[in-house]
């Protein structure tokens, strides 16, 4: 299961995120999202856990908990195609660049 983790401190690393979630089960990946130009954290990340049950426990236990001085938000990540898309809002007009 893929888990969204928000409101992260800008100092949290991939390793910090992995270590926090490994308390609940096997983590297959942990990634803090960074700005591609400044290479600075955007304050959120994703953790993928091997077992669904472990992920559900981690979400329940970690949501609204403290990680490096910040109260984090933890929930199941939505697929990328849900929510905002860059090209929405232009109607029938084509982008000219």
């Amino acid at each position: 299961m893929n888990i969204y983790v928000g409101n992260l401190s800008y100092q949290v690393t991939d390793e910090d995120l992995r270590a926090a979630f490994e308390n609940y089960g096997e983590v297959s990946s942990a990634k803090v999202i960074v700005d591609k130009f400044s290479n600075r954290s955007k304050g959120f990340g994703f953790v993928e856990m091997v077992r669904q049950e472990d992920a559900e426990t981690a979400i329940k236990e970690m949501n609204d908990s403290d990680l490096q001085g910040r109260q984090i938000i933890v929930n199941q990540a939505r697929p990328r195609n849900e929510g905002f898309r860059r090209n929405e809002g232009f109607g029938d007009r084509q982008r000219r660049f």
Side-chain angles (χ1 to χ4, degrees):
M1 175 188 280
N2 200 15
I3 302 169
Y4 166 83
V5 186
N7 201 33
L8 291 173
S9 165
Y10 293 129
Q11 284 71 44
V12 172
T13 64
D14 295 348
E15 294 79 23
D16 296 332
L17 201 54
R18 176 180 288 277
F21 280 82
E22 280 179 336
N23 293 326
Y24 301 97
E26 186 179 350
V27 174
S28 56
S29 69
K31 181 74 177 156
V32 174
I33 305 304
V34 295
D35 181 81
K36 65 182 174 182
F37 298 110
S38 69
N39 207 32
R40 182 177 172 194
S41 169
K42 289 189 171 190
F44 69 95
F46 296 93
V47 175
E48 193 162 352
M49 297 192 74
V50 176
R51 293 189 44 206
Q52 174 96 14
E53 301 82 20
D54 294 342
E56 289 170 357
T57 301
I59 290 169
K60 192 163 100 176
E61 297 291 323
M62 294 287 292
N63 190 40
D64 290 327
S65 69
D66 182 84
L67 182 63
Q68 293 190 8
R70 300 287 299 260
Q71 188 174 359
I72 60 173
I73 298 164
V74 181
N75 52 44
Q76 184 174 354
R78 293 184 296 225
R80 281 191 116 175
N81 60 357
E82 287 185 20
F84 179 77
R85 288 183 291 192
R86 282 185 198 254
N87 295 333
E88 281 185 358
F90 287 98
D92 292 333
R93 296 179 296 160
Q94 294 293 318
R95 295 179 86 169
R96 297 183 191 266
F97 55 88

